[in-house]
């Protein structure tokens, strides 16, 4: 028996990516205050836009490991507050590697910048409603 691959359906959108923020958990934590949660997202956006630009530069070799650690530590804190577990975990790993002066902290900074870009898009969608 000859098996044939079925054609890929056209016009079917990609399934949505898993959200980086646990919005339900965050709204539950703040007792359903959706406007407050949206305000948190807006405040985080401002910091993350600056952080992603600096992480891009640091990942490319500019600056000291201590600056990577400082930025990653800050991201770790805000990501934890936003219930963005994947970002929090990667920021913690980046912070730790930079504090230990491990050269791979620059590659981790690159991954963190990329993940932050995704988080920024998610936060912007929340803020724009």
């Amino acid at each position: 028996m000859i098996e044939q691959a079925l054609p890929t359906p056209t016009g079917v959108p990609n399934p949505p990516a898993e959200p980086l923020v646990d919005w339900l958990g965050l709204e539950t934590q703040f007792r359903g205050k959706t406007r407050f949660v949206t305000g948190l997202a807006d405040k985080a956006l401002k910091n993350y836009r600056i952080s992603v630009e600096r992480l891009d530069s640091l990942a490319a070799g500019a600056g000291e490991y201590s600056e990577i650690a400082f930025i990653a530590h800050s991201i770790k804190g805000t990501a934890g507050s936003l219930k963005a577990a994947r970002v929090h975990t990667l920021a913690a790993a980046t912070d730790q590697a930079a504090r230990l002066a491990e050269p791979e902290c620059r590659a981790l900074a690159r991954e963190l910048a990329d993940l932050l870009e995704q988080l920024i898009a998610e936060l912007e969608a929340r803020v724009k409603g």
Side-chain angles (χ1 to χ4, degrees):
M1 178 157 105
I2 299 174
E3 292 185 34
Q4 289 182 312
L6 295 174
T8 305
T10 57
V12 177
N14 292 332
E18 176 105 10
L20 292 171
V21 176
D22 176 4
W23 295 109
L24 180 59
L26 199 55
E27 287 186 13
T28 300
Q29 177 181 341
F30 292 105
R31 298 184 180 113
K33 296 178 182 174
T34 57
R35 286 180 36 187
F36 179 78
V37 170
T38 300
L40 288 177
D42 191 38
K43 287 179 185 177
L45 265 173
K46 293 172 184 143
N47 291 328
Y48 286 158
R49 286 183 182 123
I50 294 165
S51 295
V52 79
E53 286 180 26
R54 190 61 192 140
L55 281 173
D56 282 337
S57 178
L58 290 163
E64 302 293 324
Y65 291 164
S66 61
E67 189 176 0
I68 295 172
F70 179 81
I71 293 170
H73 185 80
S74 174
I75 293 167
K76 180 179 72 169
T78 58
S81 297
L82 284 173
K83 296 191 179 294
R86 285 180 41 213
V87 177
H88 179 269
T89 300
L90 181 55
T94 305
D95 178 22
Q96 184 67 23
R99 287 176 190 273
L100 295 173
E102 295 174 352
E104 68 266 14
C105 71
R106 292 201 190 269
L108 289 170
R110 161 63 29 230
E111 289 179 45
L112 184 56
D114 292 344
L115 192 57
L116 266 186
E117 289 282 0
Q118 294 174 40
L119 180 57
I120 287 169
E122 187 174 322
L123 295 173
E124 285 174 340
R126 171 68 185 228
V127 169
K128 292 177 182 174

